[in-house]
Amino acid sequence: MWGRVRPPTVRLSQLDRIRLRRVAVRYAGHGWDVTPGACLARHRFVCGRAGCPTTGCHPALEQWEQTATADPARVATWWRIRPHAILLATGRAFDVLEVPAYLGRYALEQARPRLHGAVSGQTRGPVATTPAGQWMFLVRSGEPLRPELDDSLYVVRHGPGSWIPAPPTRLPEGTVRWAVSPEETRWRLADPYCVQELLLEALEVVTPTLPCPLYTSDASDDL
């Protein structure tokens, strides 16, 4: 899914590495399991594993599911030398509902006025966006996709055994950013049922559109 568009040359500095480490430790400190991703080098990701054929964003460790952790000290060691991508393990502290930008933008716009309205539960949690136009809604874990969404090609649920790239990870096309940062929601997660309701509504009323500039909040990617 990641790294499909041929990128320009990308070089990450020592400052980038320090920034990535600081943010990765912050995620771990809030109980989010982190694993290091392969390092971006020019137009591909390099993990250092002999014979690894994957050039897109992927975990740097072969046994990443066993080693992903929310221990800040252990997380810090991974970024002491290399500017790893920050990957968050899903199906643990949270699941992720990934959708195209046109669905994500509609769901987020509808969530704001409903926070204290007719829709019960927490409809707004952290939302990350990729430079390729995918929106990732962080929701409480354990709720499977409703059948109507499970049959859709536009909605992907990341649960146990999966991961997402987290801000401020750099992908070949650009940087992963927060549309709604964890700080804006006080690190609270959205109710998965409520978000799925909004996505169902979006599928019914919104016509797919060409990619457009991503919505980004005023909040810093650095958290």
Side-chain angles (χ1 to χ4, degrees), residues 155-166:
V155 181
V156 176
R157 172 180 172 257
H158 294 273
S162 188
W163 53 266
I164 61 164

Side-chain angles (χ1 to χ4, degrees), residues 12 20 35-41 44-49 52 54-61 79 82-87 163 169-171:
L12 298 180
L20 288 163
T35 189
C39 299
L40 183 60
R44 59 176 293 170
F45 284 88
V46 179
C47 66
R49 284 185 275 148
C52 179
T54 306
T55 59
C57 187
H58 64 286
L61 304 177
W79 274 267
R82 297 183 178 179
H84 292 287
I86 301 175
L87 308 184
W163 53 266
T169 291
R170 191 91 56 87
L171 300 178

Side-chain angles (χ1 to χ4, degrees), residues 57-76:
C57 187
H58 64 286
L61 304 177
E62 188 170 4
Q63 302 297 324
W64 71 268
E65 288 187 69
Q66 288 71 40
T67 56
T69 180
D71 178 0
R74 186 174 182 186
V75 169

Side-chain angles (χ1 to χ4, degrees), residues 102-162:
Y102 77 96
L103 294 178
R105 188 173 291 106
Y106 177 90
L108 186 57
E109 289 174 351
Q110 294 301 310
R112 289 195 183 97
R114 299 185 192 188
L115 278 173
H116 304 289
V119 177
S120 61
Q122 174 80 10
T123 61
R124 191 172 183 231
V127 183
T129 62
T130 74
Q134 293 297 106
W135 286 46
M136 299 179 290
F137 291 75
L138 278 64
V139 301
R140 294 198 293 271
S141 62
E143 180 76 25
L145 283 178
R146 296 175 59 168
E148 307 95 310
L149 294 178
D150 200 25
D151 292 336
S152 173
L153 298 177
Y154 301 104
V155 181
V156 176
R157 172 180 172 257
H158 294 273
S162 188

